[in-house]
Amino acid sequence: MKTIRFLSRILFMILFTGIFLGCPNPSSNPVAPIDPPDPPDPPDPPDPVLIASVSAGGFFVDFGNGEQDSHYTMILDREGRLWAAGSNQYGQLGDGTTENRPTPVYIMSDVKSVSAGYAHTMIVKEDGTLWAAGRNNYGQLGNKEATSGYSPDPVQIMRDVESVSAGENHTMIVKKDGTLWAAGKNDKGQLGLGEGTDNSDSNPVPVQITSLGSDVKSVSAGSAHTMIVKEDGTLWAAGRNNKGQLGNGATSGENPVPVQILLPEESAPSVF
């Protein structure tokens, strides 16, 4: 009996002093508060897409009983990716739809250059293939189809192409061998096919402009006229000339045959 009382006193003393099984008394050793960890650094913003070139297309026509317009942009980034934004009623953006795009949408990759016309788009890829999308009412896509309708999906037109320029309703193409080809509307002789051609006809199949040989360096297609630079540095022009846009000294007529344009011999006066 004495032994039991003795053991009970010892057990009471252990519990009272807070050292039962080696555990400290919480009240005698308060735990210090732990500071929360620092928040992680915010992620770096994404790098902007850098642009290599851009081509703005479109038109505005007032028919009196209503307006018809197209305003769109083709964007080529430095990675060779093609993007598009704006009007798309004829599929000129080449995204497979006819929905307008207020934000640029991706079209294709491996693109070398792009040219936006009034409502059709011409694309040269790095492998030299030529692609087209958009309106085709005058055969300006050059896809051999009837001169009507449109193509919202880019279609391949030809190979071995160096550069291209899309005009209002016609297309001018420079191939890698230096030859010049044309497709689309030719009512003002803008294709440069020459005399004896029916200039009211459209051309859905690209036709070579044989009069310029095989040393064409670059070409630019306007509303209804075309300007050409040859490898020897000479300038040539074809098409409508109602405002003197050909630079041949006249302000009327049309030139279905490309004519050489000569700049004045005297030095241009300085404007500064």
Side-chain angles (χ1 to χ4, degrees):
M1 192 69 175
K2 293 181 178 180
T3 302
I4 295 175
R5 291 178 180 175
F6 176 75
L7 293 176
S8 298
R9 291 177 180 176
I10 294 176
L11 180 59
F12 174 78
M13 293 175 64
I14 293 175
L15 294 175
F16 182 78
T17 55
I19 58 172
F20 180 65
L21 297 180
C23 296
N25 185 346
S27 62
S28 62
N29 294 286
V31 178
I34 300 175
D35 294 332
D38 294 333
D41 294 333
D44 293 333
D47 293 333
V49 176
L50 300 180
I51 306 305
S53 65
V54 66
S55 182
F59 66 89
F60 174 85
V61 179
D62 186 352
F63 292 103
N65 59 349
E67 298 173 353
Q68 182 179 1
D69 61 353
S70 169
H71 309 283
Y72 74 107
T73 302
M74 304 301 297
I75 307 160
L76 179 61
D77 72 24
R78 292 186 181 180
E79 301 298 324
R81 296 171 299 191
L82 184 63
W83 306 76
S87 301
N88 196 28
Q89 68 269 50
Y90 299 108
Q92 57 265 46
L93 300 188
D95 66 344
T97 77
T98 55
E99 298 178 11
N100 294 343
R101 302 290 189 178
T103 302
V105 293
Y106 169 78
I107 305 301
M108 62 169 61
S109 59
D110 300 320
V111 174
K112 177 182 178 182
S113 64
V114 62
S115 180
Y118 268 28
H120 76 292
T121 299
M122 305 301 297
I123 305 157
V124 179
K125 300 194 72 174
E126 289 289 353
D127 61 3
T129 55
L130 177 65
W131 298 73
R135 198 176 190 184
N136 196 39
N137 55 328
Y138 291 102
Q140 56 264 50
L141 298 188
N143 63 347
K144 305 179 182 179
E145 298 294 334
T147 54
S148 62
Y150 53 87
S151 177
D153 291 300
V155 292
Q156 185 174 333
I157 305 303
M158 60 196 313
R159 298 180 179 275
D160 300 319
V161 172
E162 179 63 29
S163 63
V164 67
S165 181
E168 177 177 347
N169 290 304
H170 72 294
T171 298
M172 304 301 297
I173 306 157
V174 179
K175 298 196 71 176
K176 291 184 176 181
D177 61 4
T179 56
L180 182 64
W181 298 69
K185 194 174 184 179
N186 194 38
D187 63 328
K188 305 299 181 183
Q190 57 264 53
L191 299 190
L193 296 178
E195 300 286 358
T197 60
D198 185 354
N199 289 341
S200 64
D201 286 346
S202 299
N203 293 269
V205 180
V207 180
Q208 183 178 350
I209 314 304
T210 56
S211 64
L212 291 174
S214 59
D215 60 345
V216 174
K217 180 179 181 180
S218 64
V219 65
S220 181
S223 175
H225 77 292
T226 299
M227 305 300 295
I228 304 124
V229 177
K230 300 190 73 174
E231 289 289 351
D232 61 4
T234 56
L235 176 65
W236 300 72
R240 194 177 189 185
N241 196 39
N242 60 323
K243 302 295 183 181
Q245 56 265 49
L246 299 189
N248 63 348
T251 56
S252 63
E254 300 161 1
N255 285 73
V257 178
V259 293
Q260 185 174 350
I261 306 302
L262 300 176
L263 299 183
E265 293 183 1
E266 63 271 17
S267 298
S270 174
V271 295
F272 298 105

